[in-house]
Amino acid sequence: MAAYQNLTRDELLQEQKELTAKFDQIKSENLYLDMSRGRPSAAQLDLVKGLMDVLTSNSDMKCESGIDCRNYGVLEGIPEAKRLLSEMMEVPGDQIIIYGNSSLNVMFDTVARSMTHGVMGSTPWCKLDKVKFLCPVPGYDRHFAITEYFGIEMVNIPMTEDGPDMDLVEKYVNNDPAVKGIWCTPKYSNPQGVTYSDETVRRFAHLTPAAADFRIYWDNAYGIHHLYEDKQDYLLEILAECEKAGHPDMVYKFASTSKITFPGSGVAAMAASPANLADVRKQMCIQTIGHDKLNQLRHARFFKDMSGMVAMMKKHADILRPKFEIVLNALETELGDLGICSWICPRGGYFIAFDSLPGCAKAIVAKAKEAGLIMTEAGATYPYGKDPADSNIRIAPSFPAEDELRHAMEIFVLCVKLVTIEKLLAEK
Amino acid sequence: MAAYQNLTRDELLQEQKELTAKFDQIKSENLYLDMSRGRPSAAQLDLVKGLMDVLTSNSDMKCESGIDCRNYGVLEGIPEAKRLLSEMMEVPGDQIIIYGNSSLNVMFDTVARSMTHGVMGSTPWCKLDKVKFLCPVPGYDRHFAITEYFGIEMVNIPMTEDGPDMDLVEKYVNNDPAVKGIWCTPKYSNPQGVTYSDETVRRFAHLTPAAADFRIYWDNAYGIHHLYEDKQDYLLEILAECEKAGHPDMVYKFASTSKITFPGSGVAAMAASPANLADVRKQMCIQTIGHDKLNQLRHARFFKDMSGMVAMMKKHADILRPKFEIVLNALETELGDLGICSWICPRGGYFIAFDSLPGCAKAIVAKAKEAGLIMTEAGATYPYGKDPADSNIRIAPSFPAEDELRHAMEIFVLCVKLVTIEKLLAEK
């Protein structure tokens, strides 16, 4: 098939007729398939079901420091969980705090604390007229939702293949004292699967913020979530880079085992400089007596060490890789020659970012919904849900079974074609 | 032994000499015993160890609504956990939200949300010049720590045997719009074990707050934590009373299974009116994708229903009751006739509140520490750690084994006597 832009009006009408017939037939099948979020599949959850057998009524419930994990105490995490997560996050064991089940919750609490108490002694943000966060786009909707909830103004920063546009980041951070943070998913980014280049990470570490309480929110959610054994991205460790650059306190690093073990029943952590952690502790010791140590113990004993976790991630990859390939093949085969869209082939993470012609994304997602296929809301990858170009769609291949996914992609490419033809016809 | 006040100076000196010899001997034993917190004992934790066998790799992990509890989703708790906790909290199943492991964390987040976002549309508290909370005293130090952390002014309200002094509560709440909340542990209160009378609860429900965003923080931490089968306190259900009184939105109710199953690995919940819960959800859906559903499932299947939980609480009581009796017997036998202190015999909860002569509590706790016995810090039961009379000491009998506890009480009564004699001698 030739590029759509080269087709005559009649040729487009003919194509539209054929595709519409196909679409109507699919619609009549009353499918329902939810691909809106990056949820692991049941097969992936089965991989770690042994986690449920680690602790039984006969287990020794003491952690390495001799504390009975069934009782109160140990605010910052048991030693073996700290060791495991610090290896996973590539940070020293004394620069990490273990939390409950959700790194999103840790990020929320971090912003909330800055609102009411400032950062290491700075003016509480709620006392300021204006607080801004930089938001590399497309990005993660739940990050943007946190800053929106707190009335923080969000500034779009375009992503490049090396990470956020660092010229813009430097311009804002180094000059505007209202800029207090930037949301980053630096490895296999959500939704593009982009990994920040060494130069990008170093430029982050060398920022000279106008605001002393500026922090990089480094959500390394997909740090070990590779799709291939032989094609992996590498990310410079930001805490060490910031320290080398003389800015040890400039970054908060977040991660969790949500997409390693069970989402919702995993273990989250935050890593930061000793001074930042001291600041965090002041809140934490008031907020809770401690997080779920039994779940920490369960995780630490299940994986034993980092090599156990890496081995598990290979099994996840074996399930995820074919799904990503189904999506990428469908896009390439059905849309590759049409000149109406683009996408990035990621080496890890949970998403494929798809870009339609400008002004088509909302209509494509709506059309897919008509046929029973629920995609992530168009616009969700931008602050305030507003994609200025209306072109970005996040594809989440992890949850459906392979057959379902093939069918879903059939519907998706059909919707892309139909919506695009409609747009082209309107312009002719 | 006659009352100390009736002894002559010489008799007091003689008594002091004998007690000091005893104390020095005990001190030489180098004991270390931490009775500072209300921690369950290992024997209590063993009661619920079967909780660890409920979910195995072969279990059906779907909750009643068919959701796979291992995956993301279900923000407010799975149906069976909601049912169990709503029975426990005596509230309708649609007026409850299930959280993570810590009700303290829920309370903290509730105050934090009010600071940044107000309550059901009210002005955020961080925008106000002055916010006050009423604090029935003696009370729970971790409550007071939350309000202190947020710079909220705390006003002491004396406890009576029927609960807080309601004349004072009404005076403050109904007239001062800066009063936004009151901390309550209404049943088997921390530390006195007092249960609010029906009249007290009704007077709470009939408050007419000067501030529309005033809320009662009803921390029913010990709702089913009876010590006796035949002597139990009853507490009117506050949500229903507030609704009857035409103030359905005036109360937040909190509880958890922390002292029913495993502290730190239990399930917490909040109950409130539909309007309050709608307000809470606006924050919650931003803060997290969901709490640990597997732990919810584990709890629901372990207890099956409320009768399972009640049966378990009887077993806890069988372990706790003798310990309370050891403390009460020691106090009665050793101090009952001396006219130098008072205490309350509770029918449930985790503590015994002891009152020394004014000005003695800090010295008694310090003296005990000298002998290796760690009590709750004197003053901890008052806002800002300041007991105006310096007389209240919280005794936490749950953790030590019975023998240890007997020994601890021997030390404690010795310290009470020695410190009191010193005070009386100084005054003679």
Side-chain angles (χ1 to χ4, degrees), chain A residues 40 46 52-53 55-57 61 70-72 101 105 109 117 126-127 149 259 263-265 283 287 290 292, chain B residues 40 46 52-53 55-57 70-72 101 105 109 117 126-127 149 259 263-265 283 287 290 292 298:
Chain A
D46 285 342
M52 290 292 99
D53 300 328
L55 297 184
T56 71
S57 55
M61 297 295 195
R70 303 172 303 174
N71 217 326
Y72 286 117
N101 72 325
N105 201 329
D109 285 3
H117 287 75
C126 70
K127 303 287 185 199
Y149 177 77
K259 291 190 177 81
S265 302
Q283 172 201 40
Q287 186 175 27
D292 186 343
Chain B
D46 285 343
M52 290 293 99
D53 300 327
L55 297 185
T56 71
S57 55
R70 302 173 302 174
N71 217 326
Y72 286 117
N101 72 326
N105 201 329
D109 286 2
H117 286 76
C126 70
K127 303 286 184 199
Y149 176 76
K259 290 189 178 81
S265 302
Q283 173 200 38
Q287 187 175 26
D292 186 343
R298 194 178 277 128

Side-chain angles (χ1 to χ4, degrees), chain B residues 215-404:
Chain B
R215 293 291 180 274
I216 303 163
Y217 283 63
W218 198 258
D219 180 7
N220 202 8
Y222 309 104
I224 56 172
H225 300 54
H226 313 286
L227 285 171
Y228 305 94
E229 254 191 275
D230 52 346
K231 289 189 293 175
Q232 296 191 353
D233 289 353
Y234 296 93
L235 176 72
L236 272 185
E237 201 295 293
I238 185 77
L239 246 74
E241 289 304 312
C242 283
E243 201 182 335
K244 272 194 269 175
H247 306 132
D249 303 329
M250 201 167 55
V251 61
Y252 300 131
K253 194 169 170 178
F254 306 95
S256 81
T257 68
S258 287
K259 290 189 178 81
I260 298 171
T261 60
F262 296 132
S265 302
V267 177
M270 175 178 182
S273 70
N276 275 321
L277 292 190
D279 196 42
V280 169
R281 270 181 211 111
K282 284 184 205 162
Q283 173 200 38
M284 192 175 183
C285 70
I286 306 292
Q287 187 175 26
T288 185
I289 303 173
H291 293 289
D292 186 343
K293 293 185 297 298
L294 289 176
N295 205 34
Q296 293 172 25
L297 190 64
R298 194 178 277 128
H299 276 73
R301 291 192 184 164
F302 181 68
F303 287 118
K304 294 187 179 70
D305 56 27
M306 194 53 212
S307 66
M309 204 181 264
V310 168
M312 181 56 69
M313 293 316 288
K314 283 186 190 160
K315 294 183 190 168
H316 279 292
D318 288 342
I319 294 175
L320 285 168
R321 196 171 45 249
K323 296 188 180 183
F324 274 73
E325 284 166 0
I326 285 168
V327 172
L328 294 167
N329 286 341
L331 295 177
E332 188 56 43
T333 310
E334 292 293 324
L335 304 172
D337 299 329
L338 303 187
I340 58 171
C341 53
S342 63
W343 59 89
I344 297 173
C345 299
R347 295 174 161 192
Y350 261 69
F351 303 104
I352 292 161
F354 175 90
D355 278 297
S356 68
L357 291 186
C360 290
K362 269 186 194 303
I364 291 168
V365 170
K367 190 111 197 137
K369 193 174 178 185
E370 236 185 273
L373 172 63
I374 313 300
M375 310 286 297
T376 305
E377 210 59 51
T381 54
Y382 282 74
Y384 311 107
K386 284 180 194 154
D387 173 4
D390 185 24
S391 70
N392 189 252
I393 297 173
R394 185 178 81 165
I395 301 175
S398 55
F399 189 70
E402 293 185 19
D403 277 355
E404 289 177 309

Side-chain angles (χ1 to χ4, degrees), chain A residues 152-173:
Chain A
I152 293 172
E153 186 182 312
M154 294 181 276
V155 180
N156 290 0
I157 303 289
M159 281 288 288
T160 73
E161 60 185 18
D162 291 320
D165 177 337
M166 290 308 293
D167 289 342
L168 258 182
V169 170
E170 286 164 359
K171 196 190 97 182
Y172 277 106
V173 173

Side-chain angles (χ1 to χ4, degrees), chain B residues 119-171:
Chain B
V119 178
M120 283 173 56
S122 79
T123 304
W125 296 354
C126 70
K127 303 286 184 199
L128 302 174
D129 289 333
K130 175 78 86 180
V131 175
K132 298 179 192 170
F133 257 58
L134 305 185
C135 300
V137 289
Y140 180 35
D141 56 349
R142 292 193 189 269
H143 286 163
F144 305 153
I146 290 174
T147 25
E148 183 174 3
Y149 176 76
F150 285 104
I152 293 172
E153 186 181 312
M154 293 182 276
V155 179
N156 289 0
I157 302 289
M159 281 288 288
T160 73
E161 61 186 17
D162 291 320
D165 177 338
M166 290 308 293
D167 290 342
L168 258 183
V169 170
E170 287 164 357
K171 197 191 98 184

Side-chain angles (χ1 to χ4, degrees), chain A residues 305-375:
Chain A
D305 57 27
M306 194 54 211
S307 65
M309 203 180 262
V310 167
M312 181 57 68
M313 293 317 288
K314 283 186 190 161
K315 295 183 190 169
H316 279 293
D318 288 342
I319 294 176
L320 285 169
R321 197 172 45 249
K323 296 187 181 184
F324 274 73
E325 283 167 358
I326 286 169
V327 172
L328 294 167
N329 286 341
L331 295 177
E332 188 55 45
T333 310
E334 292 292 324
L335 304 173
D337 299 328
L338 304 187
I340 59 172
C341 55
S342 62
W343 60 89
I344 297 173
C345 298
R347 294 173 162 194
Y350 261 68
F351 303 105
I352 291 163
F354 174 91
D355 278 297
S356 67
L357 290 187
C360 290
K362 268 186 196 304
I364 291 168
V365 170
K367 190 110 196 139
K369 193 174 178 185
E370 236 184 275
L373 173 64
I374 314 299
M375 310 286 297

